[in-house]
Amino acid sequence: MIVDISKRILIVGLGLLGGSYARVLRRFGFPISAITLEQRDIDYAIREGIIDEGSTQPDPELVGAADLIVFALYPHTFVEWIEQYQGLFKSGALITDVTGVKGSIVYRIQGMLRPDVEFIAAHPMAGREVSGVENSTDRMFSGANYIVTPTARNTPEAIETCMELGRLLGFSHVATLSPEEHDEMIGFLSQLTHCIAITLMTCNDKEHMEQFTGDSFRDLTRIARINDLMWSELFLENKSALLEQMDLFLTQFTRLKTMLEEEDVEGMRAMMRHSTERRALFDKK
Amino acid sequence: MIVDISKRILIVGLGLLGGSYARVLRRFGFPISAITLEQRDIDYAIREGIIDEGSTQPDPELVGAADLIVFALYPHTFVEWIEQYQGLFKSGALITDVTGVKGSIVYRIQGMLRPDVEFIAAHPMAGREVSGVENSTDRMFSGANYIVTPTARNTPEAIETCMELGRLLGFSHVATLSPEEHDEMIGFLSQLTHCIAITLMTCNDKEHMEQFTGDSFRDLTRIARINDLMWSELFLENKSALLEQMDLFLTQFTRLKTMLEEEDVEGMRAMMRHSTERRALFDKK
């Protein structure tokens, strides 16, 4: 399958990400439909010209007409949807997703999926502090990463199509990782940072601190405003990889604390120089 | 003493902060001189019209002519300077500073200072990732906090003058705290955040992570690029207050880790809701 604009695309879950996918892809001319819980989101998206048609139910006609289906649901809802409704897929359809964890999802879906349908997993690493289709935008993916996580079950064609989709969406960096590499990376770069932010935000409830807050505290806690339903599920679905990253952090934090207790200035300075050097790698190119 | 523009101001230590003080104050018309280590910084500042005159030595004439002296030095250098050269101060001079820790500095300086000179401590909570007088700017203080930390030895006039200085410099929020309150607050809001950033930046050295880094990781590690000489000294000078804040963080982080291990979703969600609610207080007004 090559992505050409005669292909019919279905978005399941029309929120911030699903809506942003629809906005970009419709601009290219693809026919876009959506299945999502709320009728008002469908009405909004049709009025805004983001989708052509939609349904609050897994409408057999909509599902059966789609060549490419993008699932933008919570992990457990995604798995349940496939279990219940995969009979509706057109033979030869390609399924992809936006789920932020991979190891606990990809093998389960691929293991239960009809043999005439292929699931190629992807993680668009983009987000905002707001949610909902009304906050979606066609400029959300510039500068962001799009990771495809193929397994031995995937065909080269599906992998290539999925990567092409990422490029069409406007991601600046499209790459592949194994589901395990992905989960380790995301455990460190995204989930551990959220754990740190919510810990920092809740470990000292002293009053009036906000009067003295500067930019660095604000930067470290921006993501402490968090969707508790989604993130508790993402943490749990990536439990072992995240716990490993939390342990790495705890060990190093405790090392720094011991150095301060022992007034080991040289040790602290060496760690700060290491930190400064390594941070330079992470500057935006 | 009221701050009027006939008062002669001396900056000791013409770096990023000292230079920015000089830039703003000179605009008001104050005569400004500086003492700093490098002749090239003095040459630059005179050429740029930031100061009127300067010296690389504690020149008796410059020091003896000053009505208001601002020390922008590392903590231990500040203490040593006072020990060695306080004989040069004009009787009635007012001394202030920019030091980022207070309890370990303020009482020592006030305890050794000549009785005809007053030291009123202040902490301008502003900074950039760059240093040096050539990076100083007269717009650094807008939106930032200026904390005066008086003790029982300070006169109401000196406290008022120091607060007026903060307002003249353009700080958006000028307040007083006791040295102890200041150190607890700074231990939490500034030093703990730096400890977290350098820990996060050095706890996992896996290669190629930077290819997948998004904005949240960048936000949490921006301050991981750190001046090791200055910050190791600031940590040490605030050792007990910082260790307390590190313990609060460790306790809460370990609580979160245990909840994840035990798959206590309700516990994690409650912590995330607490975090979300508390973060709202810290939004920029």
Side-chain angles (χ1 to χ4, degrees):
Chain A
M1 174 170 166
I2 305 268
V3 187
D4 70 68
I5 62 157
S6 72
K7 302 290 179 188
R8 303 184 72 84
I9 299 180
L10 170 67
I11 313 277
V12 184
L14 200 65
L16 179 71
L17 271 174
S20 298
Y21 270 48
R23 278 184 199 272
V24 181
L25 295 172
R26 189 112 191 299
R27 261 196 353 217
F28 283 107
F30 292 99
I32 312 263
S33 58
I35 292 172
T36 201
L37 282 180
E38 302 286 343
Q39 184 62 42
R40 66 163 185 271
D41 290 338
I42 292 167
D43 295 342
Y44 171 88
I46 290 176
R47 205 166 57 237
E48 290 278 307
I50 305 173
I51 62 171
D52 298 289
E53 50 182 335
S55 171
T56 58
Q57 303 299 322
D59 182 295
E61 257 183 67
L62 278 189
V63 180
D67 301 297
L68 175 64
I69 307 178
V70 180
F71 282 88
L73 302 174
Y74 282 24
H76 80 275
T77 320
F78 177 27
V79 174
E80 286 165 17
W81 206 102
I82 298 291
E83 279 172 343
Q84 280 190 270
Y85 303 115
Q86 62 166 314
L88 303 177
F89 291 141
K90 176 200 279 195
S91 186
L94 186 67
I95 316 291
T96 187
D97 72 336
V98 305
T99 318
V101 287
K102 291 305 182 200
S104 66
I105 294 296
V106 179
Y107 300 108
R108 269 163 84 191
I109 302 275
Q110 288 186 339
M112 71 167 83
L113 200 61
R114 284 163 45 187
D116 60 332
V117 168
E118 181 166 353
F119 172 51
I120 174 74
H123 180 193
M125 293 180 62
R128 301 177 66 191
E129 282 104 284
V130 290
S131 61
V133 63
E134 67 278 14
N135 286 305
S136 64
T137 149
D138 59 4
R139 293 180 303 277
M140 198 159 87
F141 307 128
S142 158
N145 290 303
Y146 181 86
I147 318 290
V148 180
T149 58
T151 71
R153 289 190 184 236
N154 283 114
T155 59
E157 293 73 29
I159 300 170
E160 187 39 53
T161 300
C162 194
M163 294 180 80
E164 198 180 328
L165 178 67
R167 288 185 289 262
L168 281 177
L169 287 165
F171 283 91
S172 302
H173 183 222
V174 174
T176 64
L177 285 177
S178 72
E180 295 71 24
E181 288 170 326
H182 169 275
D183 287 352
E184 182 190 347
M185 188 268 293
I186 220 67
F188 176 63
L189 290 175
S190 167
Q191 297 187 326
L192 176 61
T193 55
H194 282 78
C195 288
I196 289 170
I198 62 180
T199 300
L200 180 58
M201 200 65 249
T202 56
C203 75
N204 184 334
D205 270 349
K206 201 176 163 76
E207 279 181 45
H208 307 307
M209 285 288 194
E210 68 276 9
Q211 292 176 24
F212 304 101
T213 301
D215 285 339
S216 31
F217 186 83
R218 285 206 181 86
D219 280 352
L220 263 82
T221 55
R222 187 177 58 81
I223 54 174
R225 182 171 284 179
I226 189 169
N227 177 332
D228 58 299
L229 194 61
M230 182 171 84
W231 281 91
S232 59
E233 186 170 336
L234 290 174
F235 284 4
L236 216 62
E237 293 283 355
N238 202 30
K239 181 178 166 182
S240 69
L242 176 54
L243 283 174
E244 256 178 59
Q245 300 304 319
M246 291 180 90
D247 276 330
L248 288 177
F249 181 85
L250 266 180
T251 304
Q252 183 76 337
F253 192 82
T254 307
R255 228 188 103 216
L256 176 58
K257 186 167 164 263
T258 306
M259 291 192 291
L260 178 55
E261 278 162 352
E262 295 172 353
E263 308 199 349
D264 173 8
V265 174
E266 279 318 304
M268 289 196 288
R269 290 188 60 189
M271 186 168 158
M272 290 175 185
R273 283 193 301 267
H274 177 191
S275 161
T276 300
E277 214 169 276
R278 191 157 162 74
R279 182 57 177 78
L281 285 179
F282 288 77
D283 278 346
K284 266 194 172 158
K285 293 301 180 293
Chain B
M1 173 173 166
I2 306 267
V3 187
D4 71 68
I5 62 158
S6 72
K7 301 290 178 186
R8 305 184 71 84
I9 300 179
L10 170 67
I11 313 278
V12 184
L14 200 65
L16 178 72
L17 271 173
S20 298
Y21 270 49
R23 279 184 198 270
V24 181
L25 296 170
R26 189 111 190 302
R27 260 195 354 214
F28 284 105
F30 291 99
I32 312 265
S33 58
I35 292 172
T36 202
L37 283 179
E38 302 287 344
Q39 184 61 44
R40 66 161 185 271
D41 291 336
I42 293 167
D43 295 343
Y44 170 88
I46 291 176
R47 206 166 57 236
E48 291 278 307
I50 304 173
I51 62 172
D52 299 288
E53 50 182 336
S55 169
T56 58
Q57 303 298 321
D59 181 297
E61 259 183 66
L62 278 189
V63 180
D67 302 296
L68 174 64
I69 308 178
V70 180
F71 282 87
L73 301 174
Y74 281 24
H76 80 275
T77 321
F78 176 29
V79 174
E80 286 165 19
W81 205 102
I82 298 291
E83 279 173 343
Q84 279 190 273
Y85 303 114
Q86 63 166 310
L88 303 177
F89 291 142
K90 175 201 279 194
S91 187
L94 186 67
I95 314 291
T96 187
D97 72 337
V98 303
T99 318
V101 287
K102 290 304 182 202
S104 65
I105 294 296
V106 178
Y107 301 107
R108 269 163 83 190
I109 302 276
Q110 288 187 340
M112 71 168 83
L113 200 63
R114 284 163 44 188
D116 61 332
V117 168
E118 181 167 352
F119 171 51
I120 174 74
H123 179 192
M125 292 180 63
R128 300 177 66 191
E129 282 103 284
V130 289
S131 60
V133 64
E134 68 278 12
N135 287 304
S136 65
T137 148
D138 58 5
R139 291 179 305 276
M140 199 158 86
F141 307 128
S142 160
N145 290 303
Y146 180 86
I147 319 289
V148 180
T149 58
T151 70
R153 290 190 183 235
N154 284 115
T155 60
E157 294 74 29
I159 299 170
E160 188 39 52
T161 300
C162 194
M163 294 181 78
E164 197 179 329
L165 178 67
R167 288 186 288 262
L168 281 177
L169 288 166
F171 284 91
S172 301
H173 183 221
V174 175
T176 63
L177 287 177
S178 73
E180 294 72 23
E181 289 170 324
H182 168 276
D183 287 352
E184 182 191 346
M185 187 269 294
I186 219 69
F188 176 63
L189 290 174
S190 167
Q191 296 187 327
L192 175 61
T193 55
H194 282 77
C195 287
I196 289 170
I198 61 180
T199 300
L200 180 58
M201 200 64 250
T202 56
C203 74
N204 183 335
D205 270 349
K206 200 175 162 77
E207 281 183 43
H208 308 305
M209 286 286 194
E210 67 277 10
Q211 292 177 22
F212 303 100
T213 301
D215 285 340
S216 31
F217 186 84
R218 284 207 179 86
D219 279 352
L220 263 84
T221 55
R222 188 177 57 83
I223 54 174
R225 181 172 285 178
I226 191 170
N227 177 333
D228 59 298
L229 194 61
M230 182 171 84
W231 281 92
S232 59
E233 185 169 337
L234 290 174
F235 284 3
L236 216 62
E237 293 283 356
N238 201 31
K239 181 178 167 183
S240 68
L242 175 54
L243 283 174
E244 257 177 58
Q245 300 303 320
M246 290 179 91
D247 276 330
L248 288 177
F249 181 84
L250 265 181
T251 304
Q252 184 76 336
F253 191 81
T254 306
R255 229 188 103 216
L256 177 57
K257 185 167 164 265
T258 305
M259 291 192 289
L260 179 56
E261 279 161 352
E262 295 173 353
E263 308 200 347
D264 174 5
V265 174
E266 279 319 305
M268 289 196 288
R269 290 187 60 190
M271 186 167 158
M272 290 176 185
R273 283 193 301 267
H274 177 191
S275 160
T276 301
E277 213 169 275
R278 194 157 161 73
R279 180 59 175 78
L281 286 178
F282 288 76
D283 278 347
K284 265 193 174 160
K285 296 299 179 294

